Amino acid sequence: MTPPLHLSLAGQAVDVLRELVLTGDIPPGTRVNEVELAQRLGISRGPLREAIRHLASEGLLVLAPHRGASVPVADKADVQALFELRTALECAAVELAASRRTEADVVRLRAVCEESRRAYSAGERFPYRLDLAFHQALLHAARSPRIAEQVRLVQQRVVLLRSGLRDDPPHQHASLDDHDALVAAIAAADPSRASDVMRKHLARVCAQMLTSLAQ
């Protein structure tokens, strides 16, 4: 269970540090330099260390005795384990979304899909911020806070591992198509089809990550 943050300054540090890690600003395999990072963020090392411990509890940092924190590097076993868990959680979530969604949910999902395509067409590196926004909209439609919290933790670890791998444009385009297909299934209130699309989508994403990792 992720420990609560009692200091607002540490909470702010968590948000900034999480962004630095997930965007690859602090690349996988890199050791966190506490002195340099505290100066960069304009905070003391106390709140920074609390933020580091918090992110370590989420799996975004690894703590080693006498070595401090570092950003984990993807390996085959970790990728496969994460996608086994993510598939179980997100297939359940889209089934619920297809059963519980409102028209407002469908409008939101379509809007994120359209924004993702615009960003991708404009040359933006695969818009992971919008990919997360899409999955968050799915979770909102599912109306299952317990599933949503677990999916969030798994998703951000996947984003972290992907930050150290090369992009694959055909795969990225296929992911946008998968999102459209998911919205269609949810709009049609078809839980079985939504689950099938999500399962195939995540299997392809996992396979692409493993291929990129091997290269």
Side-chain angles (χ1 to χ4, degrees):
M1 183 182 215
T2 301
L5 289 172
H6 301 293
L7 299 176
S8 60
L9 191 58
Q12 294 171 23
V14 164
D15 292 338
V16 175
L17 185 54
R18 180 186 287 115
E19 183 73 10
L20 293 175
V21 170
L22 292 180
T23 59
D25 193 287
I26 304 177
T30 302
R31 181 175 170 275
V32 176
N33 186 319
E34 290 187 14
V35 175
E36 179 182 300
L37 191 56
Q39 292 176 342
R40 179 177 176 180
L41 301 182
I43 61 175
S44 67
R45 293 175 68 180
L48 176 59
R49 284 174 175 167
E50 186 171 353
I52 287 172
R53 287 194 295 270
H54 187 85
L55 290 189
S57 74
E58 294 184 0
L60 296 183
L61 292 174
V62 176
L63 294 176
H66 312 299
R67 295 185 61 189
S70 61
V71 181
V73 177
D75 63 52
K76 181 178 179 180
D78 198 19
V79 170
Q80 290 177 324
L82 282 173
F83 273 90
E84 286 176 358
L85 178 57
R86 186 175 177 184
T87 298
L89 290 169
E90 292 210 61
C91 284
V94 293
E95 288 181 2
L96 292 174
S99 301
R100 298 175 177 177
R101 98 292 186 278
T102 64
E103 287 304 313
D105 291 324
V106 175
V107 169
R108 174 57 182 159
L109 285 165
R110 286 174 175 157
V112 176
C113 285
E114 291 171 3
E115 187 178 356
S116 297
R117 286 195 181 276
R118 283 196 299 270
Y120 183 67
S121 297
E124 181 178 337
R125 182 178 182 269
F126 186 70
Y128 292 118
R129 61 184 177 83
L130 293 171
D131 182 56
L132 288 175
F134 176 80
H135 286 272
Q136 287 166 0
L138 282 179
L139 292 169
H140 178 75
R143 289 170 176 78
S144 177
R146 298 280 186 177
I147 290 178
E149 173 60 18
Q150 296 307 309
V151 170
R152 183 186 69 81
L153 294 174
V154 175
Q155 283 178 337
Q156 67 179 15
R157 290 186 65 190
V158 171
V159 170
L160 166 64
L161 298 183
R162 289 174 83 168
S163 71
L165 304 177
R166 69 176 181 82
D167 289 333
D168 182 344
H171 159 75
Q172 294 166 4
H173 193 276
S175 288
L176 296 175
D177 291 340
D178 289 344
H179 288 185
D180 288 338
L182 280 167
V183 176
I186 290 170
D190 190 334
S192 178
R193 179 152 61 101
S195 179
D196 184 57
V197 173
M198 178 61 82
R199 189 176 304 278
K200 291 177 180 176
H201 168 66
L202 293 177
R204 186 175 48 71
V205 174
C206 181
Q208 188 274 332
M209 284 186 65
L210 291 174
T211 298
S212 183
L213 183 63
Q215 294 172 346

